[in-house]
Amino acid sequence: MTEERLLEINGLVLNFYTYEGIVQALDGVNLYIRDGETLGLVGETGCGKSVTSLSTLVLIPSPGKIEGGRILFNVQGKKVDLLKQSDEHLRTIRGKDISMVFQEPRVYLNPVYTVSSQISEVLVKHRKEEFLKKALESLKQERRKKGLKGSTFEMNLYERMLKNPNSLTNKILSKIPGSQRRFKLEVQREVVRILRGMGIPDPERVAKMYPHELSGGMAQRVVIAMALACNPKLLIADEPTTNLDVTVQAQILSLIKRLKSMFKSSVLYITHDLGVISEISDRVAVMYAGNVVELADVYELFKKPLHPYTRGLLESIPRPGKPLKSIPGTVPSLLNPPSGCRFHDRCSYAMEICRKVKPAFTEVEKDHFVACNLYGGSK
């Protein structure tokens, strides 16, 4: 694992403008992901985990609006702020460099298209040039074996397409007999290869199935296949095992770990399950009410949690022979969040400064960041 940061989120502020008022969903989120690592993002329901992931893709649902901050992503060795990119440029990044696996796979699979059609759409969008080259080379070899030389016009088209496949339109491509059929065949082969890599038995048959014919675990594997079809640098997994039974959960977690190693991708894994976090993560970011309150190595976080909220989460894990502990109070409404530290009204360590001053996100120990006035660094 390298120390180079693939993604950096600095001071991200996001509000939702609703009829009831302004929902302050993200209040200066800070985190980063290194090349080749898995960052677990954990917190209670409604703390801002999924909104953070959607912000990374710049896919903010209405009536949300990003009010401040930066999202820096390494594109071909250059750090670019995704919030300043055009829609056209973002479309080239989504699916190719950054992909996402959603919590409800059936919601994101079109019920009227086959598995093959939906994965093919991703492949053609981002890897068209690759399949055009394969199709033309394959067709050229086939014609040579049959002793078919073709016209000078066709041969010139072959050479032009192989040098620059995007230079010719599908209309011109259609003038080369069999080229479109061969192109579709190459894409279908890749779909089957990807499904086989997901551990799906009989991938040729599954490719022809519709979403309603798939089990929950199978549907999730198909969504993962779509997300990894273009070997993205960053895979965002938003609670991909929430509605699956424990056996299938274990299979999906094992699959994600294996594919991450295979493709050398980084993973942002979102969940509220600390057991899953301990199993899959290299580092962990803990969120509370729109803020990242702690960021540390997974072993360091479980061994030595610093933020009172993180301690409360770990103490609330059921243990045999010990009484069940819980964090007092409830998560505040983000329509009117508490001033200062948003956790102060539930914190047994709260001081007067906590009610007035929002704590800064400070590196207390090496690579261990905390937003808490107990450790200084107040804004």
Side-chain angles (χ1 to χ4, degrees):
M1 187 187 302
T2 66
E3 290 297 317
E4 185 177 355
R5 296 183 180 185
L6 176 66
L7 175 76
E8 289 184 66
I9 299 178
N10 300 322
L12 185 63
V13 178
L14 171 65
N15 294 331
F16 286 92
Y17 291 85
T18 70
Y19 290 111
E20 295 183 17
I22 301 175
V23 178
Q24 301 172 45
L26 299 179
D27 184 33
V29 168
N30 295 282
L31 58 83
Y32 65 90
I33 303 175
R34 300 188 183 105
D35 274 334
E37 79 167 352
T38 298
L39 176 69
L41 188 58
V42 65
E44 295 175 82
T45 299
C47 71
K49 303 187 299 296
S50 295
V51 173
T52 299
S53 66
L54 291 173
S55 298
T56 303
L57 290 165
V58 198
L59 289 174
I60 309 303
S62 179
K65 183 179 180 181
I66 293 178
E67 306 283 9
R70 299 189 305 168
I71 302 176
L72 302 176
F73 186 69
N74 193 333
V75 180
Q76 297 179 349
K78 182 181 178 181
K79 290 287 182 69
V80 298
D81 188 347
L82 297 180
L83 300 180
K84 296 181 179 180
Q85 305 307 305
S86 65
D87 289 341
E88 182 179 357
H89 189 202
L90 288 171
R91 281 193 288 270
T92 65
I93 294 174
R94 299 185 192 120
K96 181 180 180 181
D97 295 310
I98 307 176
S99 290
M100 188 165 182
V101 178
F102 296 94
Q103 183 175 349
E104 296 285 351
R106 296 188 190 281
V107 174
Y108 295 94
L109 289 174
N110 194 316
V112 300
Y113 289 101
T114 63
V115 168
S116 178
S117 296
Q118 298 186 61
I119 299 178
S120 296
E121 183 179 2
V122 178
L123 293 173
V124 173
K125 170 67 177 176
H126 296 291
R127 295 172 60 185
K128 182 178 181 180
E129 180 177 340
E130 174 187 340
F131 295 113
L132 281 172
K133 286 183 177 181
K134 286 183 178 180
L136 291 172
E137 286 286 10
S138 176
L139 190 59
K140 196 173 183 179
Q141 292 176 11
E142 181 181 296
R143 297 187 69 167
R144 282 175 176 171
K145 288 180 180 179
K146 294 181 179 179
L148 301 174
K149 295 182 179 180
S151 67
T152 302
F153 172 73
E154 289 179 1
M155 291 299 102
N156 288 339
L157 282 178
Y158 275 128
E159 298 306 321
R160 288 169 62 192
M161 287 291 294
L162 288 173
K163 290 180 180 178
N164 186 7
N166 288 326
S167 65
L168 299 181
T169 64
N170 289 333
K171 184 177 180 180
I172 297 177
L173 179 61
S174 66
K175 294 183 179 181
I176 302 178
S179 60
Q180 291 184 333
R181 174 185 59 81
R182 180 65 63 173
F183 175 79
K184 292 179 181 178
L185 180 60
E186 293 295 337
V187 174
Q188 291 301 312
R189 285 177 176 171
E190 182 66 6
V191 169
V192 172
R193 187 192 71 80
I194 291 172
L195 291 176
R196 184 175 289 111
M198 297 298 115
I200 294 177
D202 197 0
E204 292 85 357
R205 180 178 63 86
V206 173
K208 300 176 183 178
M209 297 172 69
Y210 289 88
H212 72 273
E213 300 178 279
L214 304 173
S215 65
M218 195 74 77
Q220 193 61 277
R221 288 173 187 265
V222 169
V223 172
I224 294 173
M226 292 173 65
L228 293 173
C230 298
N231 303 345
K233 296 179 182 177
L234 175 62
L235 174 67
I236 301 173
D238 188 3
E239 302 195 41
T241 62
T242 297
N243 296 319
L244 305 176
D245 63 69
V246 291
T247 303
V248 178
Q249 281 187 28
Q251 293 173 356
I252 296 297
L253 289 176
S254 176
L255 176 65
I256 291 175
K257 291 171 70 175
R258 178 172 62 83
L259 294 173
K260 172 206 166 187
S261 177
M262 182 186 303
F263 295 115
K264 309 299 181 184
S265 299
S266 299
V267 178
L268 175 60
Y269 195 95
I270 300 169
T271 183
H272 58 266
D273 191 329
L274 290 169
V276 171
I277 285 291
S278 66
E279 172 69 21
I280 200 169
S281 302
D282 298 308
R283 290 187 306 122
V284 184
V286 181
M287 286 196 75
Y288 179 79
N291 291 287
V292 174
V293 296
E294 189 162 359
L295 176 65
D297 175 85
V298 62
Y299 298 108
E300 180 72 13
L301 187 94
F302 278 81
K303 181 181 178 181
K304 188 181 177 182
L306 298 180
H307 198 280
Y309 176 65
T310 308
R311 295 177 193 171
L313 283 181
L314 294 174
E315 289 173 354
S316 65
I317 298 175
R319 292 176 173 81
K322 293 186 178 181
L324 182 64
K325 292 186 178 181
S326 63
I327 302 173
T330 58
V331 178
S333 169
L334 298 184
L335 280 167
N336 186 26
S339 59
C341 174
R342 291 187 173 184
F343 187 63
H344 79 257
D345 56 349
R346 304 178 67 187
C347 179
S348 57
Y349 300 93
M351 303 174 287
E352 185 61 29
I353 191 175
C354 301
R355 296 173 173 82
K356 300 177 181 179
V357 180
K358 179 184 176 181
F361 196 61
T362 307
E363 187 174 13
V364 178
E365 300 175 2
K366 182 175 172 56
D367 292 330
H368 196 152
F369 297 82
V370 184
C372 180
N373 289 315
L374 288 173
Y375 304 97
S378 299
K379 289 186 176 180

